[in-house]
């Protein structure tokens, strides 16, 4: 497909959308990567839905230095590897000095977004989505994305974790704490963490276990924690207490606030 696009020098928007599992490439028939890439000089907006292996093969064959918006949806995959994607977005400069990242959980998908500081005149955004409906898989997907993407995350100072407005109110998050801590580990510069109602109980439980010397192993720069359901005398205050006390003792204090999500 990449070769067939070479003549479309004015192409500004490209969407590649597959129905699962048609997008899975045939490894046996895969051609070697070309020495030179197909240049799409006008491409600014790209959307992809399908298997990560197909995307890896495709973007290894193109250059799009003016790409501003890249929305990606992977099908329900628990384990994946995206070295070509990371190389591609680094080469385009899409994510340089982005200080905000967000994660949104939904009934049938989860999305990671990374964009420039608020108030800038650029519309650049990278969004990666997984169509899984299992919360443990969603957290694992986020942990893998953040782990593979870690070299671009040290500039992030604000991280928002929320749910889509259509998220079922009775669906409680009971995920094991380990994926959350692994997810947070690459965010070494985050100062502000904002957590919405339905995800905060499991995240608070994960942070609750970070006491003593472990208190600054994750989110070492954090100084502001915003919880949507936070009340100074409520259960969340009691649950997060050991973590807050440990951070205070380690001279890395964290203030807890109510977030109007």
């Amino acid at each position: 497909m990449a070769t067939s696009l070479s003549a479309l020098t004015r192409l500004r928007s490209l969407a590649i959308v597959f129905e699962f599992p048609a997008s899975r490439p045939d490894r046996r028939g895969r051609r070697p990567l070309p020495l030179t890439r197909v240049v799409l000089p006008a491409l600014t907006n790209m959307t992809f839905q399908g298997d990560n292996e197909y995307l890896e093969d495709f973007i290894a064959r193109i250059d799009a230095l003016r790409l501003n918006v890249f929305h990606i949806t992977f099908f329900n995959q628990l384990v994946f590897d995206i070295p070509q994607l990371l190389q591609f977005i680094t080469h385009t400069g899409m994510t340089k000095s982005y200080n905000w990242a967000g994660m949104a959980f939904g009934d049938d998908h989860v999305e990671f977004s990374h964009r420039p500081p608020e108030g800038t005149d650029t519309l650049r955004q990278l969004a990666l989505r997984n169509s899984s409906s299992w919360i443990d898989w969603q957290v694992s997907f986020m942990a893998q994305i953040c782990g593979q993407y870690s070299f671009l995350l040290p500039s992030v100072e604000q991280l928002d974790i929320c749910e889509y407005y259509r998220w079922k109110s009775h669906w409680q998050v009971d995920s094991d704490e380990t994926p959350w801590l692994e997810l947070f580990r690459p965010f070494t510069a985050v100062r502000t963490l904002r957590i919405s109602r339905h995800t905060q109980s499991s995240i608070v439980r994960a942070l609750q276990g970070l006491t003593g010397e472990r208190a600054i192993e994750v989110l070492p720069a954090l100084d502001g924690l915003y919880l949507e359901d936070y009340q100074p005398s409520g259960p969340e205050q009691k649950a997060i207490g050991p973590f807050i006390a440990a951070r205070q003792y380690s001279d890395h204090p964290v203030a807890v606030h109510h977030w109007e999500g």
Side-chain angles (χ1 to χ4, degrees):
M1 177 182 286
T3 303
S4 64
L5 296 174
S6 60
L8 303 178
T9 56
R10 296 184 180 181
L11 181 68
R12 299 180 61 185
S13 182
L14 174 64
I16 302 174
V17 179
F18 290 98
E19 295 294 333
F20 185 84
S23 63
R24 291 190 181 275
D26 184 356
R27 291 191 180 95
R28 294 171 301 178
R30 181 177 296 179
R31 295 175 298 169
L33 296 178
L35 296 178
T36 59
R37 296 171 179 244
V38 172
V39 178
L40 302 174
L43 188 67
T44 59
N45 193 312
M46 184 173 172
T47 299
F48 175 84
Q49 176 178 301
D51 186 84
N52 73 291
E53 293 180 359
Y54 190 99
L55 179 64
E56 283 283 292
D57 187 73
F58 176 74
I59 61 176
R61 303 174 187 275
I62 67 170
D63 246 338
L65 295 180
R66 296 185 61 188
L67 191 66
N68 285 329
V69 178
F70 196 179
H71 289 174
I72 303 167
T73 300
F74 293 132
F75 288 121
N76 191 356
Q77 295 174 261
L78 183 58
V79 179
F80 56 91
D81 193 29
I82 49 173
Q84 294 295 336
L85 173 60
L86 300 178
Q87 181 178 339
F88 178 78
I89 60 179
T90 303
H91 185 57
T92 62
M94 284 187 64
T95 58
K96 186 177 181 180
S97 300
Y98 285 18
N99 74 347
W100 179 91
M103 304 176 190
F105 292 82
D107 288 335
D108 58 2
H109 65 275
V110 61
E111 181 175 305
F112 171 83
S113 298
H114 196 192
R115 59 170 169 76
E118 292 185 1
T120 59
D121 58 0
T122 179
L123 297 176
R124 288 190 166 189
Q125 181 185 36
L126 173 70
L128 295 99
R129 175 182 293 191
N130 190 310
S131 59
S132 171
S133 59
W134 294 91
I135 183 61
D136 287 346
W137 281 36
Q138 291 182 357
V139 176
S140 178
F141 170 78
M142 285 296 179
Q144 289 186 68
I145 286 292
C146 294
Q148 297 189 49
Y149 200 64
S150 59
F151 66 100
L152 292 172
L153 296 179
S155 62
V156 174
E157 296 182 354
Q158 179 175 321
L159 176 62
D160 292 351
I161 301 178
C162 62
E163 66 275 352
Y164 286 99
Y165 71 96
R166 289 182 294 180
W167 212 33
K168 295 177 182 177
S169 60
H170 66 271
W171 189 37
Q172 298 298 316
V173 179
D174 295 318
S175 177
D176 178 76
E177 68 179 53
T178 304
W180 288 112
L181 298 182
E182 290 304 312
L183 184 156
F184 290 140
R185 203 170 295 279
F187 292 95
T188 55
V190 163
R191 299 187 60 187
T192 300
L193 175 62
R194 304 196 300 183
I195 307 171
S196 64
R197 180 174 296 108
H198 293 292
T199 54
Q200 75 179 30
S201 61
S202 62
I203 295 176
V204 166
R205 287 200 304 271
L207 296 177
Q208 187 180 26
L210 296 177
T211 58
E213 296 180 356
R214 296 187 63 207
I216 57 173
E217 287 182 2
V218 177
L219 302 171
L222 184 69
D223 56 26
L225 176 61
Y226 292 77
L227 305 176
E228 189 173 4
D229 276 348
Y230 176 74
Q231 298 294 334
S233 58
E236 299 296 349
Q237 168 64 22
K238 182 178 181 180
I240 199 67
F243 172 70
I244 300 302
R247 291 291 294 244
Q248 183 74 32
Y249 183 79
S250 65
D251 200 27
H252 290 76
V254 176
V256 186
H257 310 273
H258 173 72
W259 178 31
E260 295 289 346

